[in-house]
Amino acid sequence: IVNQDNAAAVSASLISGQIDAAVGPADTLAGAIGAGKVKILINADDPVMAPLGGGTSIAGICLWGLKSQLQSKPKVVTAFIAALRDAYKYVSSTDPSVIAGELHTSKDFATLPVSTIEDELKLDLPFLTTTAGQMSQDVWNRTLSAFSTWGLGLKLDNPAFTYSSIVDMSYWNAATALTGGK
């Protein structure tokens, strides 16, 4: 097992044969995948992954922040979360080819082929939850249950990992008014 510092190092190591396989977000390797240099062995939306990752019923992509910083800027944090929820709604209801075409017009994505951007978007979609970031007690409990099978070496029954200690949905709830209740 080799730890790599970044996606470029993982991609280079796979292509050169220095490593046999890697675990991580496939979107970071979309260029190499698209060029046929790297193959996906198990995709995130494959049923085989459900027992390993907890399926779509666990916390996927989450926002994390220092409590003191969040509390010092509640309006900014709430507006940011509302914008992310609007973006989620757009991404989850728009064809990836349309989004890829739009992103390609940005200087940040102009150097990437539209097909690579589209492939990256398709690889990210399984990680988006249907709750647009809302985390319930039930989802947190299922997440901890999945984590317990990952060999992380953490005592997940520690009070520091309880829902009330980790999750603060007040900003998400406040953003509901800014998103028109959606």
Side-chain angles (χ1 to χ4, degrees):
I1 296 176
V2 178
N3 186 23
Q4 298 286 350
D5 292 335
N6 56 58
V10 171
S11 183
S13 295
L14 281 168
I15 292 168
S16 70
Q18 290 177 318
I19 60 175
D20 297 320
V23 175
D27 66 334
T28 59
L29 299 169
I33 293 166
K37 296 178 179 179
V38 174
K39 294 204 181 281
I40 296 175
L41 300 176
I42 302 175
N43 204 352
D45 57 357
D46 188 298
V48 173
M49 287 296 290
L52 300 174
T56 59
S57 64
I58 68 167
I61 299 171
C62 298
L63 298 176
W64 302 92
L66 292 173
K67 190 174 186 176
S68 61
Q69 291 295 314
L70 298 173
Q71 289 174 336
S72 71
K73 303 170 186 171
K75 288 182 181 181
V76 173
V77 173
T78 300
F80 176 70
I81 290 173
L84 287 176
R85 288 173 62 182
D86 285 342
Y88 167 80
K89 185 168 48 174
Y90 177 74
V91 168
S92 63
S93 64
T94 304
D95 188 277
S97 64
V98 172
I99 299 169
E102 292 170 352
L103 288 172
H104 186 67
T105 65
S106 162
K107 67 177 175 74
D108 295 323
F109 292 90
T111 59
L112 293 173
V114 173
S115 61
T116 298
I117 300 169
E118 184 177 351
D119 289 344
E120 288 179 9
L121 289 167
K122 288 177 183 175
L123 293 168
D124 282 341
L125 288 176
F127 294 101
L128 298 177
T129 65
T130 57
T131 62
Q134 183 180 35
M135 173 93 64
S136 68
Q137 173 85 48
D138 185 48
V139 168
W140 182 250
N141 291 342
R142 287 194 307 261
T143 300
L144 288 179
S145 178
F147 285 176
S148 71
T149 67
W150 293 3
L152 300 173
L154 298 171
K155 294 184 182 227
L156 297 173
D157 58 349
N158 182 320
F161 292 112
T162 63
Y163 178 81
S164 60
S165 295
I166 297 284
V167 179
D168 180 353
M169 293 305 302
S170 64
Y171 303 101
W172 192 94
N173 294 334
T176 300
L178 300 176
T179 61
K182 298 177 183 173

